[in-house]
Amino acid sequence: QVIRVHLEKLPIIPCDALEPGLRSCLSPYGNVLQMCLYEEPSRGWFGGRGFAILGRLPNIQYADLTHRMCWNNSDTENTRSFFATWADMGVYCRYCHETTH
């Protein structure tokens, strides 16, 4: 199974820290086959958005994708988070990003 995951509100940190951090965050959900970080077309700077292609082998158990993902897999109260969306995910509020209303 191959899943394209759109990423938003990514931390604005140097690319040499962002890419390995994203791979670490996304690895419980599948093998990261490809990653793309979008730059603003007119100015060429990173705008906190991108996507990843995840591959899932049929005989391996992966974590269920979540809309709100914690940066560096940390669940502490003050941790940074970003948002993921994918084709067959459930409904979520586009304003507060909650999935419960």
Side-chain angles (χ1 to χ4, degrees), residues 7 17 49 62:
L7 307 170
R49 296 178 48 240
Y62 297 100

Side-chain angles (χ1 to χ4, degrees), residues 20-33:
L22 272 177
R23 286 188 186 277
S24 174
C25 292
L26 296 172
S27 63
Y29 307 104
N31 298 319
V32 180
L33 304 176

Side-chain angles (χ1 to χ4, degrees), residues 42-54:
S42 61
R43 302 231 162 68
W45 62 49
F46 175 60
R49 296 178 48 240
F51 72 86
I53 306 293
L54 302 178

Side-chain angles (χ1 to χ4, degrees), residues 1 31 55-62:
Q1 182 181 20
N31 298 319
R56 291 180 163 188
L57 298 173
N59 57 347
I60 297 178
Q61 184 69 27
Y62 297 100

Side-chain angles (χ1 to χ4, degrees), residues 63-81:
D64 292 334
L65 284 166
T66 60
H67 177 56
R68 183 183 302 265
M69 295 192 174
C70 294
W71 180 248
N72 286 336
N73 296 320
S74 173
D75 279 332
T76 62
E77 188 174 304
N78 296 323
T79 193
R80 218 179 247 184
S81 61

